[in-house]
Amino acid sequence: MLDLLVHNATLPDGRSNMSIAVQNGRIAEVTAGLDAPAAEKVDAQGLLLAPHFVDPHFHMDATLSYGLPRVNQSGTLLEGIALWGELKPLLTAEALIERALAYCDWAVAKGLLAIRSHVDTSDPSLLAVDALLEVKRRVASYLDLQLVAFPQDGVLRSPGGVDNLKRALDKGVDVVGGIPHFERTMADGAASVKLLCELAAERGLRVDMHCDESDDPLSRHIETLAFEAQRLGLQGRATGSHCTSMHSMDNYYVSKLLPLIAEAGVSVVANPLINITLQGRHDSYPKRRGMTRVPELMAEGVNVAFGHDCVMDPWYGLGSADMLEVAHMGLHVAQMTSQSGIRQCFDAVTVNAAKVFGLEGYGLAAGCDASFVLLQARDPVEAIRLRATRLKVFRKGTLLSETPPATATLHVEGRASETSFMPARGAA
Ligand code: FE2
């Protein structure tokens, strides 16, 4: 007998009336119309069953700290960094762990079961590193938390920066981070990329840098990252995050850059909610959007994913761990409103993000982990449109979260009726 059978589900690729058979935490079979004895049966009623959401770029050490010690008045990136600097000496491990665990609960409820979080390694006490390593241990049974050693104050610019980052890796942080555009000169930025990629190659780790998070068209550290990734054999294991300067770059230069990124197997992570709010702040009108060139990168064959980046922290006061909200903003900012563009944005918070992460057993196929989400929507486009309710969230065959369907009961002119904002489909 099966442990779990989800039947009558629609999959993201459009296949309908699908049954997903689960045994020992893994998907045993994906077949149309299968019925078989199972300890638990779920009738998906034709709704969308998707692999769980993955956030490839987040800052869990800062999350839910909004208003501590004060609110970001200007809402700019630089005031956010300054505010984080004010908050750091006041952080306690207990409070940081508590906030991170609360965020992980939000994540699970939203079907977000894997998060790559940067953790600031600039403070020599490595308090945030120890705290998030503890969080990683505590959530391991229900959420994959991958940590990136992130030298927020610049690995070369801050005294002891390299040593602190190496000590964080020694403690078990998974990925090498960086922030080349925040080093003092372009040359130092490039030197930091080289040094950090060599460190990643030496230790057999992945590398993920905040890269060119500015509107300066001459901020070209992504070029160095692609070059070093290729030189050191880091193809498929290197990621450039943000890459917002690419929005403002000269088109001729970009025509040379995109193939270089593709050839080097470097993934790009855009953070739509944050890029659209933090970039273009020095512009009057017209104001640049600032998000990297998502459709052009995708067309070149680059793996592009979307991250949440911030939720209720010094940089951004909004957010709720909802990767469909991230995809929704991403497709607007990138003008990816074609049917295929919207589906690509759904991929950016699921399969593409899983690729950045290097998640094993991800997907809806036999042999994959039975970690999936039943959404109150009939396809990925509707899921994004509605930021659809996560009716049921399963991880390795175990039910982790349930949310009742979002349905309004109307009392218009004495006519009792219900709506879930899903128009009827069928004959004209
Ligand atoms: Fe970030």
Side-chain angles (χ1 to χ4, degrees):
M1 188 162 79
L2 294 167
D3 296 333
L4 168 68
L5 181 74
V6 182
H7 60 99
N8 195 16
T10 302
L11 305 188
D13 62 12
R15 282 179 290 164
S16 60
N17 191 28
M18 297 303 288
S19 301
I20 291 87
V22 175
Q23 192 77 56
N24 301 321
R26 287 182 181 272
I27 297 174
E29 201 180 341
V30 179
T31 322
L34 172 78
D35 194 12
E40 188 185 353
K41 280 192 182 184
V42 174
D43 181 358
Q45 299 182 320
L47 296 173
L48 177 65
L49 189 81
H52 65 81
F53 297 102
V54 179
D55 185 354
H57 187 110
F58 194 61
H59 294 265
M60 203 176 277
D61 48 359
T63 198
L64 307 196
S65 69
Y66 182 73
L68 297 176
R70 61 180 179 84
V71 166
N72 183 336
Q73 292 298 334
S74 64
T76 59
L77 173 60
L78 290 180
E79 187 178 340
I81 292 175
L83 186 48
W84 176 235
E86 289 170 40
L87 177 58
K88 268 196 271 188
L90 309 175
L91 288 176
T92 66
E94 295 71 30
L96 197 158
I97 290 169
E98 202 177 304
R99 288 194 290 264
L101 290 173
Y103 185 78
C104 290
D105 283 351
W106 294 11
V108 168
K110 294 286 189 187
L112 169 56
L113 300 183
I115 301 174
R116 171 180 279 188
S117 174
H118 296 254
V119 52
D120 190 354
T121 59
S122 302
D123 173 8
S125 78
L126 298 182
L127 178 143
V129 170
D130 288 329
L132 284 194
L133 283 167
E134 175 62 20
V135 171
K136 181 178 165 154
R137 274 188 289 275
R138 290 207 210 166
V139 302
S141 67
Y142 59 89
L143 185 145
D144 282 308
L145 177 59
Q146 188 182 56
L147 298 176
V148 186
F150 173 51
Q152 170 81 69
D153 299 339
V155 74
L156 298 178
R157 181 171 169 166
S158 60
V162 178
D163 184 51
N164 294 341
L165 186 137
K166 283 185 178 169
R167 288 194 295 121
L169 297 175
D170 291 341
K171 281 173 178 278
V173 171
D174 310 276
V175 180
V176 178
I179 185 163
H181 58 277
F182 198 69
E183 302 292 351
R184 280 216 163 80
T185 63
M186 285 292 177
D188 268 8
S192 78
V193 173
K194 183 168 186 280
L195 179 152
L196 292 164
C197 284
E198 283 172 354
L199 189 60
E202 236 172 71
R203 296 190 180 216
L205 299 176
R206 289 172 181 267
V207 60
D208 182 347
M209 295 193 198
H210 283 64
C211 210
D212 309 319
E213 189 181 4
S214 85
D215 297 313
D216 173 7
L218 295 179
S219 188
R220 295 175 168 186
H221 297 296
I222 182 67
E223 178 189 275
T224 311
L225 178 61
F227 177 79
E228 292 297 332
Q230 199 162 36
R231 181 176 73 87
L232 296 161
L234 291 168
Q235 289 97 332
R237 293 193 288 140
T239 299
S241 284
H242 291 290
C243 300
T244 53
S245 74
M246 201 187 298
H247 186 89
S248 300
M249 283 173 182
D250 170 70
N251 286 338
Y252 182 84
Y253 172 69
V254 171
S255 73
K256 175 193 163 204
L257 178 64
L258 297 186
L260 183 68
I261 299 171
E263 207 180 296
V266 171
S267 291
V268 170
V269 172
N271 297 295
L273 293 162
I274 307 309
N275 301 151
I276 195 66
T277 46
L278 293 185
Q279 301 307 310
R281 286 291 182 126
H282 292 265
D283 295 355
S284 57
Y285 286 93
K287 278 185 198 292
R288 282 167 289 181
R289 299 169 189 218
M291 191 167 78
T292 197
R293 302 191 188 199
V294 173
E296 292 79 7
L297 283 159
M298 284 179 167
E300 196 66 42
V302 176
N303 182 50
V304 182
F306 290 162
H308 208 318
D309 202 8
C310 302
V311 170
M312 299 193 75
D313 68 10
W315 295 274
Y316 188 63
L318 306 172
S320 62
D322 186 349
M323 296 307 290
L324 286 172
E325 187 178 320
V326 173
H328 188 266
M329 180 58 77
L331 78 90
H332 281 80
V333 177
Q335 299 185 328
M336 292 174 72
T337 45
S338 68
Q339 290 295 297
S340 63
I342 298 175
R343 284 166 189 276
Q344 283 178 303
C345 291
F346 190 83
D347 289 347
V349 294
T350 52
V351 284
N352 299 4
K355 219 180 275 177
V356 167
F357 201 98
L359 262 186
E360 282 168 18
Y362 184 83
L364 286 184
C368 293
D369 287 340
S371 302
F372 41 64
V373 187
L374 181 62
L375 292 144
Q376 190 188 359
R378 293 163 293 187
D379 58 51
V381 177
E382 194 161 70
I384 294 179
R385 179 174 67 80
L386 296 173
R387 272 76 82 219
T389 300
R390 282 66 164 175
L391 299 169
K392 289 179 190 290
V393 179
F394 288 91
R395 184 178 188 269
K396 297 187 178 173
T398 302
L399 181 66
L400 288 186
S401 173
E402 285 176 288
T403 306
T407 303
T409 303
L410 300 166
H411 307 281
V412 178
E413 293 183 334
R415 160 175 64 85
S417 62
E418 292 197 333
T419 184
S420 301
F421 311 95
M422 292 157 73
R425 286 179 179 176

